[in-house]
Amino acid sequence: MPDMTTTHVANGAEPMIRLQGLTKVFPGQARPAVDSLDMDIAAGEIVILVGPSGCGKTTTMRLINRLIEPTSGRIILEGEDVTSVNPDKLRRRIGYVIQQVGLFPHQTISDNIATVPKMLGWDRKRIRSRVDELLAMVGLDPSTYRDRYPKHLSGGQRQRAGVARALSADPPVMLMDEPFGAIDPITRDRLQNEFLRLQETIRKTIVFVTHDIDEAIKMGDRIAILREGSQIAQYDTPAHILSAPADDFVADFVGSGASLKRLNLSRVRDVELVQWPTAGVSSSRSEVMAALRASDKGAVLVLDEARRPARWLAGQDLAREDLPLGELGHPAEAIVQPHVSLGDALNEMLKSRVGCAIVVDESGAYLGTVDFATVSGEIQALRRDARERSRAQLEVMHPAGIGDA
């Protein structure tokens, strides 16, 4: 059986974080909140701690930056034992994002983000440059949001500012405690996608706590499913957990609908896009009709001058002559970028009147579409992969042959 307690860091490299025998016993409690936890976390990965309420996942995360002091065990960061170093200095090396964001209400967003750089003695020009860089990075225009106070921002905007503050001193590690848990579902999905896009650039080592297995599957490079006392039931990639749960506890926690959950493991960029007939916003009716007749589709996607999706036009729309072309049909909707999961693309597809999600690049320019046939084909491929992986694991466990087992 695979080792369920620790990752095997690639190429023998030193893990970014190593927890050895980490234990926390709170006064008056008979059982440890965290009981002899061993875990390696590789550099640049998002590791999700997930499990039932009270299992110790938040306590584990807070032990890493010593907001809670361990009873015993060791915390090793970048090869250095930090179990007993000055905790304030340790926390300057670790960004921290919590569900309630934790912005200081009487400070501007700029001052909030500048908290750690000021403690490190950065000069004013460097701090301002870093603040503006981070605001732009998380999608908040510096000229608009720099001097605002937290109460003037929406929940999603405050969460972005919280991420920017955690990144302010460019720490190698970030801790995130249910960072999107208090946000409405639509904003939550958008922030998850934006953070995954951001992670492709910043490549931080992230320990992320959630109670939501779907969020864990979507966000994590690896998932640690914890029992009571932060005992690891399984620590593996989302794909392996979905296809080969270690035991009934893991299978029950993952729940039903594994095929749909696997869609969150695949990105739009991983599949071949379907091309629909397109026309420019200045095209004539005859040109649009010619594009439609040359295809097997039921509508034409009209693109603006920057090749951004504008409207869908069907044959019956073109028959109307009482409106200009730009007012016919219906607006282009269900628009996604290549980094989003196929699960998110499917959700968008369900809103589309033509049964597909439009894929655009970062500038909003049209790249292609994802349709139901694409998603169905990917589900079948994921099922085949899961069957083959399970068979391979059985062959390892029973080398004499599955039939002889």
Side-chain angles (χ1 to χ4, degrees), residues 16 42-47 130 166-167 169-174 195 198-207 221:
M16 176 63 74
E45 286 195 345
I46 300 177
V47 169
R130 181 62 174 165
L167 290 168
D170 198 20
V173 172
M174 289 182 66
F195 187 79
L198 181 62
Q199 172 66 353
E200 291 179 357
T201 301
I202 62 177
R203 302 307 303 174
K204 299 296 180 183
T205 304
I206 298 168
V207 181
D221 295 302

Side-chain angles (χ1 to χ4, degrees), residues 29-227:
Q29 298 295 317
R31 304 183 66 177
V34 177
D35 191 2
S36 301
L37 175 63
D38 294 322
M39 178 180 286
D40 286 357
I41 298 172
E45 286 195 345
I46 300 177
V47 169
I48 309 291
L49 306 182
V50 65
S53 179
C55 70
K57 51 188 182 290
T58 294
T59 300
T60 297
M61 190 187 68
R62 297 181 75 189
L63 285 168
I64 292 173
N65 70 349
R66 292 179 45 218
L67 284 173
I68 298 174
E69 291 292 348
T71 304
S72 60
R74 296 204 305 162
I75 305 158
I76 298 171
L77 176 63
E78 295 184 286
E80 176 189 356
D81 189 337
V82 296
T83 317
S84 302
V85 302
N86 183 299
D88 290 332
K89 290 183 178 179
L90 171 63
R91 289 173 203 137
R92 292 169 195 171
R93 298 167 61 184
I94 299 176
Y96 192 39
V97 184
I98 60 176
Q99 180 174 332
Q100 295 82 12
V101 185
L103 297 175
F104 302 121
H106 301 300
Q107 291 186 0
T108 65
I109 297 305
S110 175
D111 286 338
N112 266 280
I113 296 172
T115 300
V116 174
K118 286 178 180 177
M119 293 171 63
L120 294 175
W122 291 17
D123 63 61
R124 188 173 300 177
K125 181 178 179 182
R126 183 183 178 191
I127 289 174
R128 183 180 178 87
S129 175
R130 181 62 174 165
V131 167
D132 287 357
E133 175 191 7
L134 288 169
L135 284 172
M137 185 183 293
V138 299
L140 298 174
D141 178 34
S143 63
T144 301
Y145 294 98
R146 185 192 302 116
D147 297 321
R148 290 191 180 182
Y149 288 87
K151 66 180 180 181
H152 299 139
L153 273 60
S154 68
Q157 289 168 341
R158 288 195 297 271
Q159 201 67 53
R160 293 186 196 189
V163 170
R165 186 177 66 178
L167 290 168
S168 60
D170 198 20
V173 172
M174 289 182 66
L175 306 179
M176 306 184 75
D177 189 2
E178 300 207 44
F180 310 128
I183 300 172
D184 68 88
I186 294 174
T187 304
R188 184 182 191 186
D189 281 343
R190 185 168 67 248
L191 288 176
Q192 288 171 342
N193 291 333
E194 289 175 355
F195 187 79
L196 288 171
R197 178 187 58 78
L198 181 62
Q199 172 66 353
E200 291 179 357
T201 301
I202 62 177
R203 302 307 303 174
K204 299 296 180 183
T205 304
I206 298 168
V207 181
F208 187 117
V209 167
T210 182
H211 66 278
D212 184 346
I213 187 62
D214 292 316
E215 181 171 60
I217 290 167
K218 176 177 179 177
M219 301 293 293
D221 295 302
R222 291 184 184 271
I223 300 173
I225 297 182
L226 305 178
R227 308 179 197 270

Side-chain angles (χ1 to χ4, degrees), residues 252-270:
D252 289 344
F253 193 84
V254 170
S256 60
S259 291
L260 289 177
K261 286 181 169 68
R262 288 189 189 103
L263 287 179
N264 281 329
L265 306 179
S266 299
R267 304 289 164 191
V268 168
R269 60 171 176 256
D270 299 328

Side-chain angles (χ1 to χ4, degrees), residues 233-367:
Q234 188 167 1
Y235 185 20
D236 214 329
T237 64
H240 288 172
I241 287 173
L242 285 174
S243 62
D247 56 24
D248 290 342
F249 174 84
V250 175
D252 289 344
F253 193 84
V254 170
S256 60
S259 291
L260 289 177
K261 286 181 169 68
R262 288 189 189 103
L263 287 179
N264 281 329
L265 306 179
S266 299
R267 304 289 164 191
V268 168
R269 60 171 176 256
D270 299 328
V271 300
E272 184 175 354
L273 300 183
V274 177
Q275 295 299 325
W276 279 65
T278 61
V281 71
S282 59
S283 300
S284 66
R285 275 179 166 75
S286 60
E287 288 172 331
V288 177
M289 183 60 76
L292 184 60
R293 288 173 174 166
S295 76
D296 61 351
K297 306 296 184 184
V300 171
L301 180 60
V302 178
L303 308 177
D304 68 13
E305 293 84 353
R307 289 191 53 78
R308 294 173 300 206
R311 304 188 72 79
W312 286 107
L313 294 182
Q316 61 267 31
D317 298 320
L318 295 170
R320 295 187 59 179
E321 297 184 356
D322 57 324
L323 291 173
L325 202 63
E327 297 179 20
L328 294 175
H330 58 271
E333 53 197 355
I335 296 174
V336 301
Q337 290 189 342
H339 65 270
V340 308
S341 72
L342 282 183
D344 286 336
L346 177 60
N347 283 334
E348 290 298 318
M349 238 178 281
L350 296 174
K351 307 173 189 176
S352 170
R353 304 183 200 185
V354 297
C356 71
I358 304 169
V359 185
V360 299
D361 64 17
E362 289 191 1
S363 71
Y366 172 74
L367 295 174

